[in-house]
Amino acid sequence: RAAVTRPVPLRDGDEIQLGNLRLRFRHKRAALSPVESPADGTTTIALDQIQERNCWLLLVDVVGSTARSTQLGSTTALRQMQTWITGLRPLIEKNGGQINGYVGDAVIAYWPSDGTRPTQVRTALQAIEAWRPVSGLPFRLVAHYGKVLFSRSELGQEITGSAVIVLHRSEKIAKGFGAASMVSQAVVETLELDGQCESFGRSSIDGMPDYFIFYALPEAWTPRK
């Protein structure tokens, strides 16, 4: 038995206790059958269970969370984080985005291009920037566009592929540029933002053969200080 302080995958038969109330989670749908189970316990999913889609990807990461937790205490810091996520979620979901999960203090979301209009992604990015001054926590935003592999596991739907790798590593590049918000050239092109975004410059990404050019969001989207 353990306290839950972050999203946790549930299995059939798991129990959740809320005060004196005990709930049992029931879910009878069978999981995907692995092709093989190597000695290390990993599984390989059949290729016909993997789907490739072009997507806009978004990572929004709270800045300075470790220092804040030390200063305020973990309980207060956690409540602040929960409030922050509650404010961010509708800005993504009401504009067609889907939250894939949480990595540390970051939220990962995506918009498949085969079911999303570019205007929806632009509206979401504008809304998040407009929310920034009242969000309660400082955050860094990065976005990329590319091919994403979708698969399912015991943890739910997972997204992988080189575009996801670029997204995660872009956050560190944005920090190096001192950028609160940064998007890749692929985002600028697919959202038709050419000529509206100032370039931060180009950067290499470990394991990738080419350089990537990164941009700030349009100045009109950035809240006035």
Side-chain angles (χ1 to χ4, degrees):
R1 180 182 299 178
V4 177
T5 59
R6 56 179 298 173
V8 175
L10 296 176
R11 300 174 184 268
D12 182 49
D14 282 352
E15 291 188 346
I16 306 168
Q17 186 163 342
L18 304 173
N20 295 325
L21 178 65
R22 181 173 295 178
L23 307 174
R24 177 168 293 176
F25 178 74
R26 306 301 299 180
H27 185 61
K28 292 296 186 180
R29 188 177 67 182
L32 293 175
S33 298
V35 174
E36 57 181 328
S37 297
D40 62 2
T42 61
T43 59
T44 301
I45 302 299
L47 290 178
D48 61 1
Q49 296 172 342
I50 298 176
Q51 184 181 25
E52 183 180 76
R53 306 170 76 181
N54 287 320
C55 295
W56 287 279
L57 297 166
L58 174 71
L59 186 153
V60 188
D61 187 23
V62 171
V63 176
S65 56
T66 301
R68 189 176 301 103
S69 181
T70 300
Q71 179 182 4
L72 301 177
S74 57
T75 300
T76 300
L78 176 60
R79 288 173 179 168
Q80 284 188 346
M81 186 69 185
Q82 291 171 333
T83 300
W84 180 81
I85 291 174
T86 299
L88 175 64
R89 179 184 289 274
L91 304 180
I92 294 171
E93 295 181 342
K94 288 183 179 179
N95 291 297
Q98 300 180 56
I99 292 179
N100 177 254
Y102 306 88
V103 180
D105 293 319
V107 175
I108 311 294
Y110 63 89
W111 288 257
S113 63
D114 56 10
T116 306
R117 299 186 305 276
T119 52
Q120 291 178 283
V121 185
R122 289 200 298 266
T123 300
L125 294 177
Q126 286 178 290
I128 294 171
E129 283 302 303
W131 173 69
R132 183 185 291 276
V134 296
S135 67
L137 293 175
F139 60 84
R140 185 173 294 112
L141 176 157
V142 294
H144 183 50
Y145 177 86
K147 292 186 182 299
V148 176
L149 300 178
F150 287 80
S151 62
R152 296 198 67 84
S153 72
E154 293 181 349
L155 298 178
Q157 183 166 258
E158 296 186 6
I159 58 174
T160 56
S162 60
V164 178
I165 295 173
V166 171
L167 178 75
H168 284 277
R169 295 183 180 175
S170 294
E171 197 274 334
K172 292 184 179 180
I173 294 172
K175 183 178 180 180
F177 283 138
S181 299
M182 189 182 80
V183 299
S184 68
Q185 183 173 1
V187 169
V188 172
E189 292 174 351
T190 55
L191 295 186
E192 300 178 354
L193 296 175
D194 300 85
Q196 302 179 49
C197 303
E198 182 179 352
S199 172
F200 284 116
R202 68 175 192 168
S203 175
S204 62
I205 292 180
D206 292 343
M208 303 290 173
D210 301 318
Y211 282 90
F212 290 80
I213 302 176
F214 295 99
Y215 295 82
L217 288 173
E219 185 176 351
W221 295 7
T222 304
R224 302 291 182 182
K225 295 183 179 180

